[in-house]
Amino acid sequence: MTVEEQRRPTGAEAVLAGLDEQQRAAAAAVRGPVCILAGAGTGKTRTITHRIAYGVHTGVYTPEQVLAVTFTARAAGELRGRLSALGVGGVQARTFHAAAMRQLRYFAPRVLGGPLPELVENKLRVVAGAATRHRLTTDRASLRDLAGEIEWAKTTLATPDDYPARARAAGREAPFEPAAVAAVYASYEQAKQRDGTLDFEDLLLVTAYALEEHRDVAREVRGQYRHFVVDEYQDVNPLQQRLLDAWLGGRAELCVVGDPHQTIYSFTGADPDYLLGFADRYPDAEVVKLERDYRSTPEVVGLANKLIGMAPRRTGLPGLRLMGQRAAGPEPRFLEHPDEPAEAAAVAAACRELVDSGLPAAEIAVLFRINAQSQVYESALADVGVPYVLKGGERFFERPEVREAVLLLRGAAAGRDDGSPLVPAVRDVLASVGWVEHRPPPGGAARDRWQSLSALVDLAVDLVAEQPTLTLAGFVGHLAERANAQHAPTVQGVTLASMHAAKGLEWDAVFVVGLVDGVLPIAQSLARPDAVEEERRLLYVAVTRAREQLTLSWSLARQPGGKRVRPRSRFLTGLAPDAPVPVRTRVARRVEVVLEGPAGELFERLRAWRAATAAQASIPAYVVFNDATLQAIAETRPGSLTELSALPGIGARKLELYGVDVLAAVDGELAD
């Protein structure tokens, strides 16, 4: 054996090698109770897997007696994979629901007198039946919101009788009056009992009951599992905590991992007080902080610290202050725009530049507060030929309410040729499916539906500003063109995601958009200071997704020509410069240059051709090609379809439709 081999760490020592001082302290704390406060990008998964491995290699743990609980199957799989790489097998890494199902399936004959009942496969169907019995008129959106209220009630351990008072105290925005929701909740429970089925919340509740009321079951489970690890502990709800307490049975061999700054799921029943009050519950707990951020540049980290540092101090565990460990990078940018389409166009142009500079599109993200904001960014990215992936929801034109609306608009256009003004016609059609202007309904899913339909109205308003004579048939044709333009490959796409859906992910470049009061913080949170602070934490989550480049932006008006009166988000006060940075994208500056000389003449000739082509097809001019693409054509003067196809914004479909005419314009063969 060589000297180098003799010095190489082995076994338990090797598990700790390569960890930083804070991570090593957490990994070596193998006896509970332990609380690991892990900030964004500090390597919490690495730390807890090395902690488990260190406990196994030192003989403190038997692998089969460790239960690591996560919130997603993906996270559980990652834990198992990393433990395997560390030479540790046999540890049970599961979600709360998977662990409960496994145990309840085994103990069901003893606890329930027979096999595990069937699980409700379609909760909406059962909720719909309960709503019908109480003569409530519902659509799919209100059914989703009703199901969400029932899930919230069950995860917070509220019974149907408790629900009205608990919902009012929590400031819930239900689709119906609390008493009506409680009645549906009670009927839903009765239907499951009649059918002999369980839902996913029941899995946890019945498993906890089995441990609490059946000593033999508790003895067997607690004999099997002696050491517990709970990831993302700030997201635990009362039902999950009840099951965890039942597993523990008064023991303290527990390690929890969480970040109070990333508490963003209170609306689903998550209770951060379990994490914040951990040291009060376990006075002898060892608390270890992970603050060395290996994800983001010091500039991004500094902004995140400043943002969260403005929040009121919460009682409980000590706070976290991230320390950036990467090399310096660019300062975060704050950009103000005149209106939402201008903001989206600027973001899309910046994405185009990043992709052209060599950054993979998959390393770019655009994050917004609500899913309905995605439409304008889907369109803007399609206009500049940048593929995208919509995370956490369907593409805009694939959403059920949008597909239904488009079908109705198409039918109305086929039966209407009287030249009626477009915007009132669109409003009339959408009113037939329950859309009411300026009246967003309560409830997340219903509000998302309303926002999607409102986006169609907003689009009609914007198009009429460009083409006052646009008809309903022309509008429907424009929608079809937009839908087709969004069929881009998604393997290397820019990620479009809500801030909630972005949690746990990271990208090299992140654009956080739509930062105006009423959107972030969202309007319904403004009546409750605690809800406003959760919105601040949501922005913190969005900011800490960026590795290197971060841009935060807002727009003063919703649509072009509107009054520029929207205030930027209150969370930007003290972060963004008081004097807003004027937005002039590289594309805009280059267009100013090409308007001179031969390139300028070609640019104007192309614009004239585009206007005629768009008018003939009854579509907006930018749907043919945007100015950035025309400017690129004017600068490069392509001589063949192959050369033309290499330019940004020219895909196969547009090459087929317009390629020959564009080359003719370049050669001067088209009349002005």
Side-chain angles (χ1 to χ4, degrees):
M1 180 179 294
T2 66
V3 173
E4 181 181 351
E5 290 172 332
Q6 290 175 339
R7 292 176 178 173
R8 186 176 299 156
T10 59
E13 184 184 355
V15 170
L16 298 183
L19 301 180
D20 69 31
E21 182 180 353
Q22 294 177 334
Q23 294 169 341
R24 191 178 302 113
V30 292
R31 288 291 190 185
V34 175
C35 177
I36 302 175
L37 295 177
T42 57
K44 70 177 179 66
T45 304
R46 174 181 173 84
T47 300
I48 59 177
T49 51
H50 281 68
R51 178 183 180 273
I52 294 171
Y54 184 70
V56 170
H57 284 299
T58 55
V60 177
Y61 304 158
T62 299
E64 291 75 16
Q65 293 180 341
V66 179
L67 177 59
V69 187
T70 70
F71 277 79
T72 67
R74 179 182 62 82
E78 184 175 359
L79 280 177
R80 290 192 294 269
R82 293 199 186 195
L83 287 169
S84 177
L86 292 170
V88 175
V91 171
Q92 295 297 307
R94 300 180 180 275
T95 65
F96 273 100
H97 289 96
M101 181 182 289
R102 187 169 187 262
Q103 293 172 21
L104 192 57
R105 179 176 285 117
Y106 180 78
F107 291 112
R110 260 184 276 177
V111 175
L112 301 175
L116 180 69
E118 290 185 10
L119 291 177
V120 174
E121 294 184 1
N122 187 344
K123 184 176 287 186
L124 293 187
R125 180 184 58 79
V126 184
V127 172
T132 299
R133 284 190 289 276
H134 291 276
R135 299 180 180 178
L136 294 181
T137 301
T138 59
D139 55 20
R140 190 169 182 82
S142 59
L143 284 177
R144 288 199 301 267
D145 288 332
L146 271 173
E149 286 303 295
I150 292 172
E151 289 176 3
W152 174 82
K154 298 188 73 168
T155 59
T156 57
L157 302 177
T159 65
D161 290 340
D162 296 336
Y163 174 81
R166 296 272 293 273
R168 291 190 186 98
R172 302 292 294 179
E173 288 196 12
F176 301 99
E177 288 296 316
V181 176
V184 173
Y185 178 12
S187 291
Y188 169 82
E189 291 297 306
Q190 292 165 5
K192 289 195 291 98
Q193 185 174 8
R194 182 191 66 239
D195 296 340
T197 58
L198 300 176
D199 62 22
F200 280 97
E201 291 75 41
D202 292 331
L203 282 178
L204 275 59
L205 188 63
V206 176
T207 303
Y209 166 81
L211 291 160
E212 293 163 350
E213 301 298 328
H214 293 259
R215 292 184 180 179
D216 57 329
V217 172
R219 188 181 310 112
E220 195 167 340
V221 171
R222 292 167 188 165
Q224 171 68 49
Y225 298 114
R226 299 178 181 272
H227 305 278
F228 296 84
V229 178
V230 183
D231 193 13
E232 302 286 5
Y233 193 57
Q234 77 277 353
D235 293 333
V236 162
N237 60 48
L239 176 56
Q240 292 164 334
Q241 183 64 45
R242 178 175 171 180
L243 177 56
L244 178 60
D245 289 339
W247 281 334
L248 287 165
R251 297 170 295 174
E253 283 300 327
L254 171 65
C255 173
V256 300
V257 188
D259 180 0
H261 295 336
Q262 297 191 65
T263 303
I264 60 173
Y265 288 111
S266 294
F267 69 95
T268 66
D271 190 344
D273 287 345
Y274 294 123
L275 174 63
L276 293 170
F278 190 83
D280 294 330
R281 189 174 185 183
Y282 298 99
D284 60 338
E286 184 168 356
V287 178
V288 184
K289 297 197 294 185
L290 304 183
E291 298 178 297
R292 293 175 178 168
D293 186 327
Y294 296 95
R295 173 189 298 157
S296 305
T297 63
E299 290 77 11
V300 173
V301 168
L303 178 65
N305 283 335
K306 195 171 183 180
L307 169 65
I308 208 66
M310 294 178 181
R313 177 77 172 88
R314 291 190 287 175
T315 59
L317 294 168
L320 289 169
R321 184 172 180 81
L322 297 177
M323 298 178 289
Q325 303 297 300
R326 296 188 54 179
E331 289 290 340
R333 299 194 304 162
F334 298 88
L335 300 179
E336 182 177 277
H337 302 268
D339 51 68
E340 288 183 5
E343 183 178 7
V347 169
C351 291
R352 178 77 264 172
E353 291 180 8
L354 289 171
V355 171
D356 290 345
S357 71
L359 182 65
E363 291 298 343
I364 306 171
V366 179
L367 307 182
F368 34 77
R369 175 60 180 87
I370 55 177
N371 286 326
Q373 291 173 272
S374 74
Q375 189 272 334
V376 67
Y377 291 93
E378 294 177 48
S379 298
L381 288 168
D383 285 346
V384 297
V386 173
Y388 62 85
V389 179
L390 186 61
K391 182 173 179 58
E394 304 108 329
R395 293 172 180 267
F396 180 81
F397 285 100
E398 293 174 3
R399 295 173 188 167
E401 63 270 21
V402 174
R403 297 178 66 176
E404 179 186 16
V406 170
L407 285 173
L408 291 172
L409 289 167
R410 186 178 297 131
R416 181 183 302 191
D417 57 1
D418 57 1
S420 301
L422 173 60
V423 175
V426 172
R427 286 175 174 150
D428 288 346
V429 171
L430 298 187
S432 70
V433 291
W435 177 82
V436 181
E437 189 172 13
H438 304 310
R439 286 176 57 188
R447 186 180 294 106
D448 283 348
R449 171 186 169 86
W450 183 89
Q451 294 277 12
S452 294
L453 297 178
S454 294
L456 292 174
V457 177
D458 295 344
L459 180 59
V461 171
D462 295 345
L463 292 176
V464 167
E466 292 185 9
Q467 300 181 57
T469 60
L470 184 66
T471 65
L472 188 58
F475 180 62
V476 171
H478 173 79
L479 293 179
E481 177 70 20
R482 280 182 171 246
N484 288 335
Q486 291 165 15
H487 293 165
T490 58
V491 176
Q492 269 295 333
V494 169
T495 299
L496 300 179
S498 71
M499 297 178 188
H500 282 100
K503 188 172 182 292
L505 304 175
E506 58 188 75
W507 297 270
D508 283 348
V510 171
F511 296 85
V512 186
V513 301
L515 297 179
V516 295
D517 260 14
V519 177
L520 190 81
I522 201 161
Q524 57 265 34
S525 72
L526 299 180
R528 295 173 47 229
D530 61 326
V532 171
E533 287 309 312
E534 182 145 325
E535 295 286 297
R536 184 195 304 276
R537 295 193 294 274
L538 188 56
L539 179 56
Y540 175 85
V541 167
V543 165
T544 54
R545 300 309 95 195
R547 297 190 193 106
E548 298 175 3
Q549 301 185 48
L550 174 65
T551 301
L552 300 98
S553 62
W554 61 96
S555 53
L556 300 177
R558 184 182 56 78
Q559 62 187 29
K563 291 184 178 180
R564 300 178 181 182
V565 296
R566 300 199 306 182
R568 70 185 184 187
S569 172
R570 64 192 66 189
F571 301 140
L572 298 180
T573 301
L575 299 181
D578 291 333
V581 178
V583 178
R584 296 180 69 216
T585 67
R586 177 204 258 175
V587 169
R589 289 193 297 270
R590 290 171 66 191
V591 168
E592 291 171 6
V593 173
V594 301
L595 292 180
E596 301 176 2
E601 295 174 4
L602 175 55
F603 181 80
E604 292 301 328
R605 188 159 65 246
L606 288 166
R607 289 187 65 183
W609 163 80
R610 180 183 64 180
T613 301
Q616 185 177 4
S618 298
I619 59 176
Y622 66 81
V623 173
V624 179
F625 289 124
N626 60 27
D627 281 353
T629 300
L630 295 188
Q631 167 252 327
I633 295 169
E635 282 187 338
T636 60
R637 304 184 71 91
S640 67
L641 291 177
T642 300
E643 292 178 6
L644 180 61
S645 67
L647 298 181
I650 300 182
R653 177 63 175 162
K654 291 192 176 183
L655 190 68
E656 178 185 354
L657 289 174
Y658 310 123
V660 173
D661 285 348
V662 168
L663 294 180
V666 172
D667 289 339
E669 295 176 4
L670 288 182
D672 289 349

